[in-house]
Amino acid sequence: MARVQLRNLEKVYGGTVKAVHGIDLDIADGEFMVFVGPSGCAKSTTLRMVAGLEEITGGEVLIGGQRVNDLAPGKRSIAMVFQNYALYPHMKVRGNLAFGLKIAGRKKPEIEAAIAEVARILEIEPLLDRLPKQLSGGQAQRVALGRALIKKPGVFLFDEPLSNLDAKLRASMRVRITELHRRLKAEGLSSTVIYVTHDQTEAMTMGDRICVMQAGRIMQVATPKELYEHPANLFVAGFIGSPEMNLLDGRIEGGDFVIGGQRTPLGPKVTDRLSDLPAEAVLGIRPQHLGLAQSGLAARLTNAEFMGHEVYLHADLEGRPIVAVVGAAQYEALGRAERIHLRPEPEHIHVFDKSGGGNVSLRPSRLAA
Ligand code: ADP
Ligand code: MG
């Protein structure tokens, strides 16, 4: 069992800098949990407290139900993979893989069997007799993964392991790591993962659940689908999804949302609860949920990014930048028009409280969850 529990976890650096503000989180055995958020939000600090590389200022970390605050990293049943996967440069891949087991005093046949198994899983058999400098970035990262895997830890801790790789390699490593996680689980090996990244695409594609963080606090913990469809607040709404959700300042009037001199109808999801909503608010609509229409919000087209199957339209709406994703054919049909009309799909409109930032268009049952 390698369930991980964080209880009111706090970190203060140097007696003054509060980096982590009392985090509570339960990660199930075998779960792939992603910590995502902008640089400096304390993802690494939190992960390093789980690993035992950073002293815990307050609260508790439990692994497999056991409090590990005072346990050395080597006793926590964890293995960590970093962005800078420093392999020992003078050792061949084989030696790099064997190192941890040798230190632990394992016998030679056992070590060799473990190397063979890990090399098979990661498809690095042909690389075993190479030195790290003879490996590509992706190969080196797979060896680093192998060094973690060979320890058969209860929990894998990843800190931005793909950030040094180019975009194409990152995409293929993403798939490799999630496949590996699935395979280990299927083989009955405990394989809880905590994976830190600043990249929302990595978070969305890899996580069973995602913990969105900002400034040392949890903003929302949910599945990728739930985060995308029901962001709890402005921060999550703006952070998750690509291109970013449009967030437009305005006010609620009757069943409409008023932006500058224009209005757009709010769906029943929102208008059912009008009396609970603040007058001053922020409308959130994803670029994918804004359609070109004959009438609707009038905007001035400022730029079009051709993406192949789709085109990202950038426009000015009452002095506010707005982005819509439309089909390439729809864009063609616009001709050279500068004036366009955009219609937010009412069922996909979110309304956020301007002061607190909370998503006031979520059903109360979702907020409670
Ligand atoms: P992230 O991994 O999300 O980018 P970090 O956990 O590295 O964020 O940092 C969180 C906050 O703690 C930042 O404000 C950072 O400046 C601060 N911090 C990190 N390490 C130290 C340290 N050793 N001493 C003082 N402050 C630190
Ligand atoms: Mg970090």
Side-chain angles (χ1 to χ4, degrees), residues 38-45 47-48 83 159-160 196-198:
S39 177
C41 73
K43 305 178 294 295
S44 295
T45 299
L47 193 74
R48 290 168 59 84
Q83 175 175 353
D159 195 348
E160 312 250 10
V196 162
T197 179
H198 65 275

